[in-house]
Amino acid sequence: MTVGSVYIQTKDLPAKDLLKDMIEMAKGVQHPMRGLFVRYYLNKLCKDKLPDTGNTYEDHGGRVEDSIDFLLTNLGEMNRLWVRI
């Protein structure tokens, strides 16, 4: 997660692709409590790197819809983990 967050800053790949990859990596955590922690940590690391209007990641990184998709996907997965607890 930390490496992915730093890799977004280099702007070698679009931020939306890296965010999707990090969401898929977080699915590998099977324990509900640890999975919640990992997803919270992912949100904290990427909150300033989400593509947004007027942001440095807007042109190359993606669109606002990509940021919304990332946040809603992460929230949905966190909700599933809460249900498992």
Side-chain angles (χ1 to χ4, degrees), residues 3-43:
V3 174
S5 174
V6 172
Y7 196 60
I8 290 174
Q9 291 177 343
T10 64
K11 299 180 184 174
D12 287 340
L13 291 173
K16 65 178 181 175
D17 294 338
L18 290 169
L19 292 171
K20 285 184 182 182
D21 287 344
M22 288 193 287
I23 286 281
E24 291 300 319
M25 279 194 305
K27 285 183 181 179
V29 180
Q30 296 295 317
H31 193 273
M33 193 66 81
R34 291 180 184 153
L36 283 171
F37 171 76
V38 165
R39 291 188 177 282
Y40 170 76
Y41 183 67
L42 177 63
N43 275 343

